[in-house]
């Protein structure tokens, strides 16, 4: 099955700086890669996703890049703000619609924004 | 649209008992997935239901089971509870099988 590795486990950045979280996956059949943000005591919230037919996707201060050859994808947050502090999870799935194995998640990155 | 809802939000059970958790998906969503979240193992996929049929299953023992009703609501059952079953159980709904998933608030299960 799929295996997703996520780094770093903790990331502390100054407010206003950029943050980058990286994930690698093992199953070359995976073609859907979402990112979730989970604040303490809250549900995971889908913040951005990318499919394997594109290499980059942006939504305001958030961007995701995908390198299918190297089997890695990254989350980029620019101009970080205190409300960006949370645990971020990457995930991957074949999403074939007929034999997918659900989302396989990374272990999470605790992002801390220092004022 | 109302989001995904789960009941109950908190549950305390004793080893050996069984428990049933409920999930109501976003209106119009036909797929419901269940995940277990623990500090040690993170988020792990349990199973996914679509059109009342289990389509995918994760690597969990047979004590974990589920079902989906014709209105897409889903229930998850855990029998013969063990201490290690203490976790946050999250369900997620999506419009189509294995599509973009939106999570509910979870049910916090504590087994004593």
């Amino acid at each position: 099955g799929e295996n997703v590795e996520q780094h770093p486990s903790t990331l502390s950045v100054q407010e206003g700086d950029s943050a980058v979280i990286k994930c690698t996956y093992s199953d070359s059949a995976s073609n859907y890669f979402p990112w979730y943000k989970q604040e303490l005591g809250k549900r995971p919230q889908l913040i951005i996703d990318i499919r394997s037919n594109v290499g980059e996707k942006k939504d305001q201060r958030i961007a995701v890049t995908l390198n299918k050859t190297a089997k890695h994808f990254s989350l980029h947050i620019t101009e970080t703000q205190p409300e960006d502090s949370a645990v971020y999870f990457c995930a991957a799935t074949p999403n074939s619609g007929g034999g997918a194995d659900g989302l396989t998640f990374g272990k999470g990155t605790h992002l801390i924004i220092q004022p | 649209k109302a989001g995904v809802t789960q009941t109950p939000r908190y549950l305390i059970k004793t080893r050996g008992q069984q428990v049933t958790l409920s999930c109501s998906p976003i209106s119009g969503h036909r797929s419901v997935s269940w995940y277990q979240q623990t500090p040690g193992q993170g988020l792990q996929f349990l199973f996914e239901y679509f059109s009342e049929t289990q389509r995918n299953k994760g690597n969990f023992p047979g004590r974990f089971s589920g079902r989906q009703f014709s209105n897409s609501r889903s229930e998850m059952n855990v029998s013969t509870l063990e201490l290690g079953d203490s976790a946050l159980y999250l369900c997620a709904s999506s419009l189509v099988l294995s599509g973009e998933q939106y999570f509910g608030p979870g049910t916090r299960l504590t087994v004593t």
Side-chain angles (χ1 to χ4, degrees), chain B residues 8 11 13 17-21 76-81 109:
Chain B
L11 208 47
K13 290 287 188 179
Q17 289 186 314
Q18 75 162 22
V19 67
T20 299
L21 312 181
M76 187 190 105
N77 185 75
V78 188
S79 62
T80 320
L81 284 166
L109 173 64

Side-chain angles (χ1 to χ4, degrees), chain A residues 34-98:
Chain A
W35 286 87
Y36 286 86
K37 173 185 179 182
Q38 188 175 29
E39 297 174 76
L40 191 62
K42 301 279 185 69
R43 71 187 75 189
Q45 181 183 10
L46 178 65
I47 56 172
I48 195 167
D49 57 13
I50 191 167
R51 298 185 187 274
S52 60
N53 56 343
V54 297
E56 184 176 1
K57 183 177 179 180
K58 284 185 180 180
D59 183 4
Q60 299 182 348
R61 297 186 296 109
I62 295 173
V64 57
T65 58
L66 171 64
N67 183 327
K68 282 222 76 178
T69 304
K71 288 194 265 188
H72 67 71
F73 55 114
S74 301
L75 177 72
H76 304 253
I77 305 175
T78 58
E79 300 172 9
T80 53
Q81 300 169 3
E83 54 264 36
D84 295 330
S85 293
V87 179
Y88 291 80
F89 294 95
C90 63
T93 182
N95 194 26
S96 64

